[in-house]
């Protein structure tokens, strides 16, 4: 009996190994097993960029939806997203530029009644997926939504081998450009996570990169450009609005020098300029009230279920006073 159990165990392990075996192209930097559960909101930072009317010596920041679509969601400008992604996977920029292909950013619906949802950026390299998200709202809802996107992309392409009865899930790298920071994580603006329970790595097929853009900006202003890594300079070149500061950041990085030139040129594009102006107007008026309304709707449902007040405040970013006045 024990002999049979031993043989079955060996057979199971061998079969499982074959099921999950595949070429690994994405690497986790270091061995970061920090948990994503500890999420506390951070105060607004001095160098946090907001969407506003541009001055003559400024360009659009990557946090603008209009700018992001123009510079990243464009098959003719793949070199910019490829440069960013190359710092997080073990493929050279040149090879990645040849392999990286934009994919549909519309997520599959779990139910026919579900509303359509779109990621900000989805691309494929070999059979793996790269997802980039621009986040301007610092709430647990934002974090959970990003995790949902990563998981849905992870399960989007289940490859079934009918003959061997095996399957493989898609490997996903999600890069979150956060226009905020989280309390307690001030010492490091770029963090790489794998799915884990805080001590044991569960899978290396979902890699999440959390970038706090204001923290990175603050590091640049406090310590100087010369103290930044090339990766940090590339990220900040897209975030910075001041053209001269951007040139200082991108100097010597050929791809980013081109980025700066193009980002200045596209500002003269009438349709893009109009799109950006509408985005600024929306952000400063109706958009904020719309976001506030959505937060209150979520809070109202949680209150109806007698959810802990402190937890509701953490999830929605609303104060206790605001919760008391919800109708």
């Amino acid at each position: 009996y024990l002999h049979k159990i031993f043989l079955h165990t060996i057979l199971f392990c061998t079969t499982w190994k074959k099921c999950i075996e595949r070429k690994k192209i994405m690497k986790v930097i270091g061995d970061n097993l920090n948990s994503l559960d500890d999420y506390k909101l951070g105060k607004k930072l001095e160098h946090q960029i907001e969407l506003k009317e541009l001055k003559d010596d400024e360009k659009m920041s990557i946090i603008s939806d209009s700018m992001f679509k123009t510079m990243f969601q464009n098959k003719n400008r793949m070199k910019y997203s490829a440069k960013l992604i190359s710092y997080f996977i073990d493929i050279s920029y040149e090879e990645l530029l040849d392999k990286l292909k934009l994919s549909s950013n519309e997520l599959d619906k779990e139910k026919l009644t579900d509303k359509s949802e779109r990621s900000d950026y989805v691309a494929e390299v070999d059979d793996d997926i790269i997802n980039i998200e621009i986040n301007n709202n610092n709430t647990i809802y934002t974090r959970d939504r990003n995790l949902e996107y990563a998981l849905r992309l992870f399960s989007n392409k289940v490859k079934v081998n009918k003959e061997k009865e095996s399957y493989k899930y898609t490997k996903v790298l999600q890069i979150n450009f956060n226009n905020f920071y989280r309390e307690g994580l001030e010492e490091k603006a770029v963090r790489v996570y794998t799915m884990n329970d805080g001590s044991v790595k569960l899978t290396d097929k979902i890699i999440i990169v959390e970038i706090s853009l204001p923290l990175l900006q603050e590091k640049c202003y406090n310590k100087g450009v010369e103290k930044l890594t090339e990766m940090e300079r590339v990220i900040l070149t897209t975030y910075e609005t001041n053209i001269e500061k951007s040139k200082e950041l991108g100097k010597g990085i050929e791809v980013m020098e081109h980025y700066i030139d193009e980002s200045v040129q596209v500002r003269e594009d009438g349709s893009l300029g109009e799109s950006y102006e509408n985005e600024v107007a929306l952000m400063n008026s109706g958009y904020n009230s719309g976001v506030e309304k959505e937060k209150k709707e979520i809070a109202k449902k949680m209150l109806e279920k007698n959810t802990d007040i402190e937890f509701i405040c953490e999830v929605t970013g609303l104060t206790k006073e605001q919760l008391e006045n919800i109708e």
Side-chain angles (χ1 to χ4, degrees):
Y1 178 73
L2 291 176
H3 179 67
K4 287 183 178 180
I5 292 177
F6 178 71
L7 289 176
H8 281 296
T9 302
I10 293 177
L11 180 61
F12 173 79
C13 291
T14 304
T15 305
W16 177 248
K17 182 179 179 181
K18 288 180 179 179
C19 287
I20 64 173
E21 204 171 53
R22 83 187 285 238
K23 180 185 177 184
K24 294 181 179 179
I25 65 162
M26 295 183 190
K27 65 180 179 182
V28 178
I29 298 174
D31 191 25
N32 191 333
L33 293 177
N34 291 318
S35 174
L36 285 171
D37 292 334
D38 186 20
Y39 194 99
K40 296 179 181 179
L41 309 184
K43 65 179 184 296
K44 183 178 177 181
L45 294 176
E46 180 183 352
H47 300 295
Q48 187 166 332
I49 291 176
E50 296 181 351
L51 293 184
K52 57 183 178 58
E53 187 177 343
L54 297 175
K55 298 176 182 178
D56 292 339
D57 61 347
E58 291 181 326
K59 63 178 178 60
M60 298 175 205
S61 172
I62 200 68
I63 65 166
S64 158
D65 185 57
S66 306
M67 188 62 167
F68 184 79
K69 288 178 179 177
T70 300
M71 303 303 284
F72 275 38
Q73 287 183 326
N74 187 323
K75 64 180 180 180
N76 296 318
R77 296 190 175 110
M78 293 298 291
K79 59 185 178 182
Y80 303 132
S81 57
K83 186 63 176 176
L84 169 69
I85 295 164
S86 68
Y87 293 105
F88 301 104
I89 65 178
D90 54 358
I91 294 183
S92 69
Y93 160 69
E94 291 77 15
E95 185 179 358
L96 185 59
L97 187 57
D98 181 58
K99 289 185 174 183
L100 194 65
K101 307 295 181 187
L102 279 176
S103 183
S104 171
N105 61 341
E106 185 167 347
L107 300 171
D108 287 343
K109 295 181 180 180
E110 294 184 1
K111 300 176 183 177
L112 287 175
T113 54
D114 288 348
K115 65 178 183 179
S116 297
E117 290 183 295
R118 291 180 181 273
S119 296
D120 290 332
Y121 172 103
V122 178
E124 296 184 26
V125 52
D126 291 331
D127 294 321
D128 298 316
I129 289 181
I130 315 291
N131 173 215
I132 302 176
E133 295 295 325
I134 301 293
N135 303 310
N136 284 301
N137 296 313
N138 187 12
T139 65
I140 290 181
Y141 168 77
T142 300
R143 182 207 64 176
D144 289 350
R145 182 202 62 194
N146 289 340
L147 284 173
E148 180 197 357
Y149 287 179
L151 289 168
R152 284 168 74 173
L153 290 168
F154 166 69
S155 60
N156 188 41
K157 287 189 174 181
V158 180
K159 297 191 173 182
V160 180
N161 186 320
K162 294 183 179 179
E163 295 180 1
K164 297 182 179 180
E165 296 184 354
S166 64
Y167 62 89
K168 295 176 182 178
Y169 285 97
T170 303
K171 194 166 188 179
V172 177
L173 169 67
Q174 184 180 82
I175 302 174
N176 294 323
F177 268 44
N178 301 318
N179 193 25
F180 50 78
Y181 89 102
R182 289 193 284 149
E183 188 179 311
L185 300 181
E186 294 88 345
E187 75 284 357
K188 197 169 184 180
V190 181
R191 286 177 169 260
V192 183
Y193 296 89
T194 52
M195 299 296 287
N196 64 87
D197 66 358
S199 59
V200 178
K201 188 179 296 183
L202 301 178
T203 178
D204 66 349
K205 289 185 179 294
I206 299 177
I207 302 168
I208 297 176
V209 179
E210 295 282 355
I211 301 173
S212 173
L213 297 167
L215 275 183
L216 211 50
Q217 188 84 299
E218 198 165 82
K219 177 181 177 180
C220 177
Y221 277 86
N222 291 339
K223 297 184 178 181
V225 174
E226 64 277 3
K227 294 296 182 180
L228 301 177
T229 65
E230 184 179 285
M231 174 191 67
E232 291 172 334
R233 288 168 59 202
V234 165
I235 293 170
L236 280 184
T237 300
T238 68
Y239 183 59
E240 176 65 57
T241 56
N242 183 276
I243 296 171
E244 288 306 312
K245 188 67 178 180
S246 296
K247 288 180 178 179
E248 184 184 0
L249 286 162
K251 187 177 181 180
I253 308 173
E254 185 179 358
V255 178
M256 301 319 291
E257 289 178 343
H258 290 164
Y259 178 94
I260 297 164
D261 290 340
E262 277 208 80
S263 65
V264 172
Q265 291 172 13
V266 297
R267 183 183 168 179
E268 304 304 318
D269 183 330
S271 59
L272 176 60
E274 184 178 350
S275 177
Y276 179 78
E277 288 173 6
N278 291 337
E279 192 178 351
V280 172
L282 201 60
M283 182 66 73
N284 294 330
S285 57
Y287 175 80
N288 286 330
S289 61
V291 170
E292 199 73 13
K293 183 178 179 181
E294 184 178 1
K295 288 180 181 179
K296 288 181 179 179
E297 286 296 326
I298 294 171
K300 186 177 180 180
K301 291 178 182 178
M302 296 177 79
L303 286 169
E304 290 172 353
K305 295 186 177 182
N306 297 317
T307 306
D308 180 71
I309 298 296
E310 295 288 344
F311 180 70
I312 298 176
C313 290
E314 285 187 14
V315 170
T316 62
L318 298 173
T319 65
K320 291 181 180 179
E321 291 73 21
Q322 287 174 308
L323 294 182
E324 290 173 359
N325 295 320
I326 290 179
E327 298 180 355

